[in-house]
Amino acid sequence: MEHVPPPAEELALLDRELAQLDARRAHLLTRRAWLVSALQPQAPQAPNAPRWHTPPVGHGWAPGQPWSAAPRSAKPSGPPRSAQNVLLTLGGLLLTVAAIAFTLVSWGSMGIGGRSAVLALVTLAALAAPVVLLRRKLAATAEALAALALVLTLLDVYAVHAVAAPDADGLTFTAVASAVLAALWAAYGLALGKLHLPLPAAVFFVQWPLLLGAWAAGAPAIVVGWALLVTAVVNGAIALWGKGLGVRVTAGIGLAVMGSAALLTGLGESLTADGPLGAVLPGTLLLTAAVAALAGAWRAPNGYAQVGGVVAGLAAVAAVGGVLRAAVPGTWHVPVYLLCGLALLCVVRTPLPRGAGRGVLAAAGAVVAGALLWALPPVAAVLLGPVELVAEVWAGAPDGFRGALGESMRWSESAAAPVVLAVVAGLLGAAYRWWPSLVRVAAPLGTPGAAARGAAGAGALALGWGTLLLAAAVLGVPYPVTVALETVLVAGLLLVAVRGAGDSPAGPAGAAGGGRSAVAVTALVAAVGGAVSVGLLSLAAEAATYAVFGALVVLFAGAALRTRAVVEQAVFAVAAVVWGTVLTGCAARSLELAPHEAAPLLLVVPAVTVLLGARLRLHPVALPVELAGVLGALVAVGLAVPDAPFLALVLALCGVLAAGAAVRPERRPAAGYVAAVLFVAATWVRLAASEVSAPEAYTLPVTVPALVVGVLRRRKDPEASSWTAYGPGLAATLLPSLAVAWTDPDWVRPLLLGVAALVITLLGAKYRLQALLLLGGAVLALDTLHELAPYVVQVAGALPRWLPPALAGMLLLAVGATYEQRLRDARKLKDLLGRMR
C-alpha cells in the first residue's frame, strides 16, 4: 500500500520542493540572460580582445556544479543587422515608389528640358552614391541605392521611348535598350566589384536582345531558335566563368530556360519537316546545341556535366534521327530514333570525362526507354485481348490470332514494335552474355554491379518473350499455331525458371548468381502470365481448352517436382491446382451440367489436394497446395448456392474433405472445427430445403450420441476443450431450433428452447465449461429477446420521444463515470472465460 503522510508533514514537503524549484528557475533565467547578451553584436574592440565577455570562474554551469548568477552584460552597441536590412529595404522601396510616381504622374507638368535634367541628375546621383558609400564601408546602404539606380535606369528607358522615340517599334526599342542596359550594368558591376546586384542585373538584360530582335524582324522559327541557342551559349559561358554566386545562378537559370526553348524549337521544326532537306536546318540547330552542351559538360563539375551529357545526347539523337525520320514511312519513325540512341553507346570508347560520358549513356537509356514505352502497349493488348473470349466460351476458333484479340488495335501501325523489342532484347542479351568484356570496356565511366547484369538478363528474357507474341499478332499467325506457340513459350519460361531456381544464390563470382536469380524471377512471372493468357486464348475452342489446360497442369506440376526452391515450388504447385480446377469446370460444361450440378465435380481437385497434403505432410509446399484446394471448394459452394439440396450435398462433401485433413495432427486444430461447422451447416440446409417444421426430430438423434462421445472424450482427456467435446452436438440442435423459433408464432417451442438453454447455461457455469456457458447463454438471450420484442416495441411507442435519448445519455454517463471499474470487470470476465475448458 502507498504511504500517505499527515497533512502538516506533506505541506512542509511541498513548500521545500517549491522553494527549490524557484531557486532553480532563478539560476536558469540568469544564465539565459547572459547567453542572450553574449550573442548580441558587441562594440568594436582591440584586435587581441575577446569577441565577447566570458563569465568569470564560478559563473556558468559545469557538470556537478550548481548554477550561479552570470555577470550583467553590456547593452548592444547598435541595432542588429536584420533591423538594418529592414530599414534599408523600406527606404529603397519608398524611393522607388516615389520615382515611379514622379515618372508616371508628374512627368507631364514639366518641359522636355526639365524632365530630362531631373531624371538624368537623379539617376547619376543614384549611380554615384554607392561609390562614396563603399569608401565609407557602408555596403548595405550602397546595395540599396544600387537597386534604386537599377529602377531609375528602367524608367529612363521608358522616358526616352515616350519622349524621344515615340514612333519606334516597341520590340526593336526594347531589344536595343536591353543590350545597352546589359553593357551599362556589366561595366558598373565590374567597376564596383563589392556590389552584388549589378552583374546579375546585367546577366538578366543579356537574355533579351537577340530574342526580341529576331521577333521584331519577323524571323522564321528556326532563326528564333538560333537566337535562343546563342543566348543559351552566352549564359553557359557566364555560368562557367562568371564571378559571384548570384551571377552564376542567374546565368544558370537563363541557360535552362533559353536552352530548353531552343531545343524545343529545333525539335518542333524537325518533326514537322516535309522531307530530309527540310529537316537539315533544324538538325543543324540541334547538333550545334549538342556540341555546345558537350563542350560545357567537359568543363562543368560532375553533377552539371552529367546534365550536359544528357542534353547533348538527346539533341544529337533528335538532330540525326530527324533527318532520317523524314526519309522513312511513319511506322518506322521510332526504330530510327532508337538506332540513333543506341549509336550513343559508342561513347564508352571516347575519352570523355566521366560525368559527361555518363550523361550521354543516360541519354541513350532515355531514348531506349521511350521506344519501349511506344512498343509495350501492343504487347499488353496481345496478353489481355483474349479476356473478351470469357463471355463467349467455345464459340468457335477464330480465323487467326488477330480475330481472337479483337479489331480494336491497328496492327498495321504496330509493325515496327516487334523490331524495337527485338533490337533492345538482343542488346540486353548480348550485354548479359558478354558481361566481363562490357565491364572492362566501360571501366572509365564506372563499373556496373551484379544487379545491373541481372536486370539486363531479365529484360532480355521479358522483351524476347514479348517480341515473339507481338510478332505473331502482327503477322496474323493462324489460331492453332498461336496457341501452340504460346504453350511452348510457357514451357520454355518454366525451364528457365527451374534452372535458375536450382542455382545457388551466391554463384561463383557473385555477379553470375545475381543475374541468374533475376532471370529466374522474371521467367517465373512471365510463365504465370503467359499461362493465363494462353488459357484465355484457348477458350475459343473446346479442343484447344482441354489441350492447353491439360498441358499447363503437366508443365507446372513437372516444374514443381523438378525445382528445389521452396517459393518457386509453391507457386508452380498452386498454379497446377488452379489449372486443374479449371479443367474440371470445363469437363462439367462438356457434360452439359448446370452450375449447381457441376459443383460436386469441382471437388475432385480439392480431394486430390487433401491427399497430396497427407503425402507431403510437413513439407512447406503442403499448406499452399491445400489452400489452393480450399479456393476450389469455395468456388464449388458458390456454384451450388442457387439449389439448396445440392448446396447441402456440397457442404457435406467439403466436411468430409475437412475431416480427412483433420486426421493429420498438424491440421487438426483448424480442420476439425471447419469439418464440424460444415457438417452442421449441411444439416441445416438440408432441413431447410425439405421444409422441415420440427428440426428437433432430426437433430436430436445426432445431438445425443455426439454429446455421449463428448463425455467419453472428456473422461479420457480432461484437458480437452469443451468446444471440441460438446460444441458440435449442442450446435446441431440449438441453432436450428433457434432459427425456427424466431419464425414460430406459438409459445411452446420458444419456451422449451429457453428452458433447455437455461439448463445448459447453468451446467456450463457449474462445471466451468466454456462451450456450454456461451452457447446456452447466447441462445437464451436471443430467445428471450424474440419473446420480449413485441412488448418492447409497444412500450417504445408509448414512451415520449425524448425519453429514449435521455436514458441513453444517462447510461453513457454512468458507464463513463465507472469506466475503470467496468474495464476491470471485463478483464476479470475475460480471464474467467479463458480459464474454462
Side-chain angles (χ1 to χ4, degrees), residues 235-329:
N235 283 321
I238 296 174
L240 285 175
W241 295 297
K243 180 182 178 182
L245 179 62
V247 174
R248 293 194 296 271
V249 170
T250 307
I253 295 174
L255 171 62
V257 174
M258 296 298 178
S260 301
L263 292 174
L264 291 176
T265 302
L267 181 62
E269 291 295 308
S270 177
L271 293 177
T272 56
D274 296 333
L277 293 178
V280 170
L281 288 179
T284 305
L285 173 64
L286 292 171
L287 203 57
T288 305
V291 173
L294 195 59
W298 204 294
R299 297 169 177 81
N302 187 36
Y304 297 102
Q306 292 189 17
V307 175
V310 171
V311 173
L314 294 177
V317 170
V320 180
V323 176
L324 299 177
R325 177 202 64 86
V328 298

Side-chain angles (χ1 to χ4, degrees), residues 25-39 67 70:
R25 185 173 185 275
H27 293 160
L28 292 174
L29 289 175
T30 303
R31 179 65 177 176
R32 181 183 181 279
W34 180 86
L35 291 173
V36 170
S37 64
L39 293 175
W67 287 84

Side-chain angles (χ1 to χ4, degrees), residues 91-195:
L93 286 176
L94 291 176
L95 290 176
T96 302
V97 171
I100 295 174
F102 167 76
T103 305
L104 297 179
V105 179
S106 302
W107 187 260
S109 61
M110 301 178 64
I112 183 64
R115 286 177 284 184
S116 301
V118 170
L119 266 182
L121 289 175
V122 173
T123 304
L124 289 175
L127 290 172
V131 179
V132 180
L133 293 173
L134 287 175
R135 291 177 180 175
R136 296 178 177 271
K137 298 183 179 180
L138 300 174
T141 308
E143 204 75 53
L145 288 179
L148 175 62
L150 176 61
V151 176
L152 289 174
T153 55
L154 294 175
L155 295 176
D156 288 334
V157 171
Y158 166 76
V160 170
H161 181 265
V163 176
D167 298 330
D169 179 65
L171 290 175
T172 304
F173 184 84
T174 305
V176 174
S178 298
V180 173
L181 288 176
L184 171 65
W185 283 99
Y188 189 75
L190 293 174
L192 301 178
K194 294 184 179 180
L195 293 180

Side-chain angles (χ1 to χ4, degrees), residues 42-54:
Q42 303 296 319
Q45 300 177 1
N48 297 327
R51 192 170 180 182
W52 53 62
H53 295 291
T54 57

Side-chain angles (χ1 to χ4, degrees), residues 208-538:
W208 310 109
L210 293 178
L211 175 60
L212 295 179
W215 193 1
I222 192 67
V223 177
V224 175
W226 279 105
L228 291 169
L229 180 59
V230 173
T231 305
V233 171
V234 173
N235 283 321
I238 296 174
L240 285 175
W241 295 297
K243 180 182 178 182
L245 179 62
V247 174
R248 293 194 296 271
V249 170
T250 307
I253 295 174
L255 171 62
V257 174
M258 296 298 178
S260 301
L263 292 174
L264 291 176
T265 302
L267 181 62
E269 291 295 308
S270 177
L271 293 177
T272 56
D274 296 333
L277 293 178
V280 170
L281 288 179
T284 305
L285 173 64
L286 292 171
L287 203 57
T288 305
V291 173
L294 195 59
W298 204 294
R299 297 169 177 81
N302 187 36
Y304 297 102
Q306 292 189 17
V307 175
V310 171
V311 173
L314 294 177
V317 170
V320 180
V323 176
L324 299 177
R325 177 202 64 86
V328 298
T331 307
W332 299 93
H333 287 174
V334 174
V336 166
Y337 284 107
L338 175 63
L339 294 177
C340 295
L342 294 178
L344 295 178
L345 298 178
C346 298
V347 73
V348 297
R349 307 294 295 180
T350 60
L352 280 177
R354 172 171 290 196
R358 287 183 174 180
V360 176
L361 290 179
V367 174
V368 173
L372 290 179
L373 288 178
W374 174 82
L376 288 179
V379 178
V382 170
L383 292 175
L384 301 178
V387 174
E388 299 177 357
L389 298 176
V390 176
E392 301 178 357
V393 177
W394 297 350
D399 296 335
F401 193 12
R402 295 184 184 180
L405 300 177
E407 300 298 332
S408 57
M409 284 292 297
R410 297 180 179 178
W411 297 106
S412 59
E413 297 179 1
S414 303
V419 177
V420 171
L421 295 176
V423 170
V424 180
L427 182 67
L428 293 177
Y432 180 76
R433 174 64 180 82
W434 292 287
W435 187 257
S437 301
L438 178 63
V439 170
R440 287 195 300 270
V441 172
L445 300 181
T447 303
R453 187 192 183 190
L461 180 65
L463 294 178
W465 171 57
T467 300
L468 295 176
L469 294 180
L470 187 55
V474 171
L475 296 176
V477 175
Y479 176 76
V481 177
T482 302
V483 173
L485 174 64
E486 290 203 33
T487 307
V488 171
L489 287 177
V490 171
L493 291 170
L494 287 175
L495 181 61
V496 175
V498 168
R499 288 185 175 180
D503 292 333
S504 175
R516 286 194 298 271
S517 177
V519 172
V521 172
T522 305
L524 174 63
V525 175
V528 175
V532 173
S533 179
V534 71
L536 294 174
L537 184 64
S538 68

Side-chain angles (χ1 to χ4, degrees), residues 741-780:
W742 269 75
T743 59
D744 191 353
D746 202 359
W747 58 273
V748 178
R749 176 178 280 107
L751 177 61
L752 294 177
L753 179 63
V755 171
L758 178 61
V759 172
I760 292 172
T761 303
L762 294 176
L763 290 175
K766 179 179 180 180
Y767 293 104
R768 303 176 63 83
L769 298 175
Q770 189 180 102
L772 276 67
L773 180 62
L774 294 182
L775 273 176
V779 172
L780 179 62

